Amino acid sequence: MNPILSLTDALARFRGAGGKEENLAEQFGLLADYLLRGGYIAVGDTRRIYLRDVEFYYHEEEGPVKDPVMYPRNPPAAELPYLPLGSLYPHVSGIDIAFENPDRCYRASALVRGYNLLDGDAPLPAGYETRSTYLYEALLCGPSLADGIRLAWVPAPVLDDDDEIVCSVRRNVPLFSPDGDKLPYLDEGVPTENRRHLQDPRPWRFIRRINQQDTTPR
């Protein structure tokens, strides 16, 4: 991880799968290390959002690597424009940071699952926020339209190297058949959190664990 990298440079290092899903694991790991250790989102002059939990999504429009639960992707009868690098993409599950590539025809993003919010020197709320849709409030509750809403990624090391990053499956993401159907959970295999479907086994979630006695990022 290089904390001096800008967000644009860090995202631009991602090259996609090239049709081979095994090419993604190392790239997602490096990008997670940057997002979780290498900076924060600044809201105006005082509010800082430190990412603690991100899930990656990746879908090839024309290649074999598919991710049917990804939000911005082209259905058969539509043509959705690709998002610029580093775009925020809001949806019902929260907010993604997008790093799509129109030349290579893939969609890619990181959903912010958890974060720490600091306003001035005090954490708001205290501890670690795991409700992904609350990021809307963190970004937009308080900034003035009259003064202009300013959001920016600030490259800066925020954690010691000893802080652990844990890799796991994405939360409540179902496994799909080759025909695009969700596979039901029938008391065999690993279920999703709601126990309705088989869990997608791809380990594309990364969680930053710090000293539980002090949840303020260092």
Side-chain angles (χ1 to χ4, degrees), residues 19 32 47 52 89 92 119 137 151 163 167 188 192 200 202:
R47 184 171 296 178
R52 287 280 302 279
Y89 183 81
V92 296
D119 211 335
E137 291 186 17
L151 305 176
D163 293 310
C167 180
E188 292 186 4
T192 54
D200 186 317
R202 291 180 283 195

Side-chain angles (χ1 to χ4, degrees), residues 23 88 113 148 163:
N23 291 337
L88 295 179
R113 276 285 185 193
D163 293 310

Side-chain angles (χ1 to χ4, degrees), residues 36-97:
L36 300 178
R37 297 179 189 266
Y40 60 89
I41 300 173
V43 184
D45 295 326
T46 60
R47 184 171 296 178
R48 292 168 287 157
I49 298 169
Y50 293 90
L51 307 189
R52 287 280 302 279
D53 182 349
V54 292
E55 286 182 351
F56 289 104
Y57 292 80
Y58 178 89
H59 181 85
E60 293 179 343
E61 300 280 19
E62 300 178 0
V65 184
K66 303 298 183 185
D67 204 359
V69 296
M70 190 165 189
Y71 286 99
R73 64 185 190 280
N74 278 327
E79 186 64 32
L80 300 174
Y82 284 84
L83 298 170
L85 200 65
S87 295
L88 295 179
Y89 183 81
H91 49 76
V92 296
S93 297
I95 298 178
D96 289 357
I97 301 171

Side-chain angles (χ1 to χ4, degrees), residues 162-180:
D162 291 339
D163 293 310
E164 184 182 16
I165 293 179
V166 178
C167 180
S168 72
V169 298
R170 296 174 295 179
R171 185 178 179 185
N172 218 33
V173 173
L175 184 64
F176 284 75
S177 72
D179 295 328

